[in-house]
Amino acid sequence: AQSVTQLDSQVPVFEEAPVELRCNYSSSVSVYLFWYVQYPNQGLQLLLKYLSGSTLVKGINGFEAEFNKSQTSFHLRKPSVHISDTAEYFCAVTKGGGSYIPTFGRGTSLIVHP
Amino acid sequence: GAVVSQHPSWVICKSGTSVKIECRSLDFQATTMFWYRQFPKQSLMLMATSNEGSKATYEQGVEKDKFLINHASLTLSTLTVTSAHPEDSSFYICSARASSGSGNEQFFGPGTRLTVL
């Protein structure tokens, strides 16, 4: 079975500063990796996903993530955040190649201050 | 594309009543839909997996008779919270996986906020 660890429950940052949200996973098989964003009282929106190929994945809203197999990580980054990026971010992992249900991390609350 | 809707977006009900929440895939067919529950400041907890035309598969600890799931068509799944109590108050989110798609991606609905008084 897979598991996902989001070490930071909350990340405060000032507007226009860079940010990194950390995600580590454990799995004995190949995986697909996802980052979702959730705004207050809304469902989850897919930011980006890694299935295969290039380890640097670019998503929406200027976010990107890098798959590092040796470190079993999939950290999310943005070079310059906006107030509107304030939200909850979830990392998720699923087994690769099949119709499996993803396992979600506990979430990281990104708080952007003016 | 790949839009999932939920109805209602919020509902307040009295203790002991039943509440039905609908989840629809608007522009694609979904053989599988998922129901999640989310408590404040916590991650999503998978409650059950719903497959069109068959019985739902419930996760351990989720009461089947309490949370009735019906996946009547390729675009509609419903969750009925029977005899709701205040401890059932939560944010319920559904997701749908396309019949043909890539990477096991699930498309999430906007969620339904249930408050039981």
Side-chain angles (χ1 to χ4, degrees):
Chain A
Q2 323 62 266
S3 66
V4 179
T5 302
Q6 291 182 248
L7 290 170
D8 306 304
S9 60
Q10 203 172 81
V11 174
V13 65
F14 286 107
E15 193 174 19
E16 297 183 6
V19 71
E20 178 180 84
L21 306 184
R22 297 181 293 171
C23 174
N24 289 87
Y25 69 93
S26 64
S27 177
S28 58
V29 298
S30 63
V31 295
Y32 292 160
L33 294 153
F34 306 82
W35 272 100
Y36 290 90
V37 61
Q38 183 182 33
Y39 298 102
N41 293 310
Q42 294 187 29
L44 273 66
Q45 180 182 3
L46 181 67
L47 275 177
L48 47 81
K49 60 184 177 183
Y50 171 79
L51 306 181
S52 64
S54 173
T55 57
L56 183 62
V57 180
K58 293 190 182 297
I60 63 171
N61 301 342
F63 284 93
E64 64 180 32
E66 186 159 16
F67 171 58
N68 188 319
K69 189 175 181 179
S70 62
Q71 297 186 7
T72 61
S73 67
F74 191 55
H75 301 332
L76 181 70
R77 301 185 183 97
K78 185 169 183 178
S80 176
V81 295
H82 301 289
I83 296 287
S84 59
D85 292 323
T86 296
E88 196 76 18
Y89 292 79
F90 293 96
C91 180
V93 62
T94 185
K95 287 184 188 178
S99 297
Y100 298 106
I101 300 168
T103 300
F104 287 89
R106 66 173 185 172
T108 297
S109 180
L110 176 63
I111 303 170
V112 182
H113 296 284
Chain B
V3 178
V4 175
S5 70
Q6 278 185 244
H7 178 79
S9 55
W10 59 270
V11 57
I12 302 173
C13 69
K14 292 182 179 180
S15 185
T17 61
S18 295
V19 175
K20 179 185 284 188
I21 303 170
E22 292 186 348
C23 177
R24 293 182 185 273
S25 57
L26 298 184
D27 50 4
F28 67 100
Q29 293 186 329
T31 52
T32 306
M33 289 185 171
F34 306 89
W35 287 96
Y36 295 86
R37 184 172 179 177
Q38 186 181 31
F39 292 102
K41 302 296 183 183
Q42 294 189 31
S43 189
L44 280 68
M45 181 192 80
L46 180 66
M47 299 174 65
T49 302
S50 166
N51 291 296
E52 187 265 339
S54 63
K55 290 184 178 180
T57 302
Y58 290 82
E59 295 299 302
Q60 192 172 9
V62 178
E63 298 176 59
K64 300 177 182 181
D65 296 331
K66 174 80 172 171
F67 299 99
L68 300 179
I69 292 172
N70 183 18
H71 195 155
S73 75
L74 286 172
T75 59
L76 173 64
S77 176
T78 60
L79 167 68
T80 301
V81 183
T82 61
S83 187
H85 292 285
E87 58 265 28
D88 298 323
S89 298
S90 190
F91 195 52
Y92 292 88
I93 302 174
C94 76
S95 70
R97 185 163 59 206
S99 302
S100 57
S102 63
N104 305 328
E105 182 177 350
Q106 294 183 26
F107 301 97
F108 288 82
T112 296
R113 172 77 59 193
L114 171 63
T115 302
V116 185
L117 302 177

